[in-house]
Amino acid sequence: MSGVLRADVPPVALTIAGSDSGGGAGIQADLKTFAAHGVYGLSAITAVTAQNTVAVTGVQEIEPELVSSQIAAVVSDFPVGAAKTGMLSSAAIIRAVAKAVDDHELRVVVDPVMVAKSGDRLLRADAVDALRDDLLPRAALLTPNVPEASDLTGLRVENEDEMQAAGERLLGMGPRAVLMKGGHLNGDAVVDLFLEGGRVVRLRGHRIHTRATHGTGCTLSAAVAANLALGRTLPVAVKRARQYLRTAMLRAAPLGQGHGPLGHLPPPS
């Protein structure tokens, strides 16, 4: 990490992720989330996607060397307090990002993005091993949803006990903490599990019945990174990020014909 944060300089966070032309997920969601927290946002784009609330119709990956160059350029000039990853697309990009995390001593929240809300795949099948072996051990926090946790562990995840078993297996793969997101399970309550060391904390909330769910994973992980950049501890960052996500879901405008975007920013006064 470079630079020393002064009192008159805002906190800084970096997102390493894909671009969403619909603005609801990826880089765009992350930067809006950073801004909502008063955090200055930097970006390193890993892929450009053509997508909206209904489907992903095209993907163009960025060369791994350019991904590395983007990270090096901003880290050399800004005091990055925290980083997060989203869509990484390929094994080569994952390895480049993992090396950058080491080279620049980044504190990174890893959102293991595999499939878009529309069901379109955003991580190549042959890149899952690289994600598991090269990036997970470098994560300050891993934030998988139920399908992602199942893909990474090979375990069936259909209830809270199985969520915990998958979370514990993921914790054994090297991340310092895991936030298991339970939104894919059935029920009026949503239960997330925060695992750190030997501790498991159940975080409960009422389910919000809305179609504005595009970019929820991106937004949550970005909010955790923003709170870390603001100097908060990881457990506090997770709790505040969950609160922010709920607020963003509740104030979402009815945009798009599919899974709509969140209301990341408050309405103008």
Side-chain angles (χ1 to χ4, degrees):
M1 266 181 279
S2 67
V4 177
L5 192 63
R6 304 196 316 260
D8 58 339
V9 175
V12 176
L14 166 64
T15 170
I16 306 167
S19 171
D20 173 6
S21 55
I27 290 284
Q28 289 83 348
D30 295 344
L31 292 177
K32 284 184 277 190
T33 299
F34 292 164
H37 285 81
V39 171
Y40 186 84
L42 310 171
S43 64
I45 298 175
T46 59
V48 176
T49 70
Q51 66 173 294
N52 52 30
T53 65
V54 178
V56 178
T57 58
V59 175
Q60 179 65 59
E61 294 175 4
I62 304 299
E63 289 295 326
E65 294 79 8
L66 184 53
V67 175
S68 298
S69 294
Q70 292 177 78
I71 297 169
V74 294
V75 171
S76 70
D77 196 35
F78 294 87
V80 178
K84 65 143 291 186
T85 66
M87 175 186 179
L88 299 179
S89 190
S90 73
I93 292 174
I94 290 170
R95 286 192 289 268
V97 170
K99 185 176 186 304
V101 169
D102 284 349
D103 289 348
H104 305 296
E105 299 180 355
L106 294 173
R107 179 172 50 169
V108 63
V109 177
V110 174
D111 181 14
V113 174
M114 295 183 178
V115 178
K117 191 67 70 176
S118 60
D120 299 280
R121 193 159 187 93
L122 299 178
L123 181 71
R124 295 184 190 179
D126 61 1
V128 176
D129 286 346
L131 179 64
R132 185 189 297 115
D133 297 339
D134 295 318
L135 196 54
L136 264 59
R138 293 168 168 82
L141 177 69
L142 176 69
T143 64
N145 60 30
V146 163
E148 291 161 349
S150 185
D151 281 353
L152 287 167
T153 63
L155 298 176
R156 182 182 65 180
V157 183
E158 296 181 350
N159 55 49
E160 280 187 48
D161 289 341
E162 291 174 353
M163 276 180 64
Q164 181 171 338
E168 289 171 346
R169 181 166 295 188
L170 288 169
L171 200 60
M173 294 178 185
R176 288 188 285 282
V178 175
L179 177 63
M180 290 285 299
K181 300 178 295 188
H184 283 77
L185 300 183
N186 295 324
D188 289 332
V190 174
V191 180
D192 299 335
L193 302 182
F194 177 67
L195 299 92
E196 185 179 32
R199 193 169 61 118
V200 180
V201 179
R202 282 170 166 75
L203 304 167
R204 300 181 183 274
H206 294 294
R207 186 178 298 277
I208 299 172
H209 296 282
T210 176
R211 67 180 184 87
T213 57
H214 185 58
T216 50
C218 303
T219 298
L220 179 65
S221 55
V224 174
N227 276 282
L228 290 176
L230 285 162
R232 297 183 174 118
T233 65
L234 183 56
V236 171
V238 166
K239 290 180 180 180
R240 285 179 174 260
R242 292 179 78 254
Q243 292 167 356
Y244 170 75
L245 175 61
R246 292 185 62 82
T247 299
M249 292 175 72
L250 290 170
R251 67 184 173 207
L255 293 170
Q257 301 175 56
H259 297 283
L262 308 182
H264 291 94
L265 301 173
S269 56

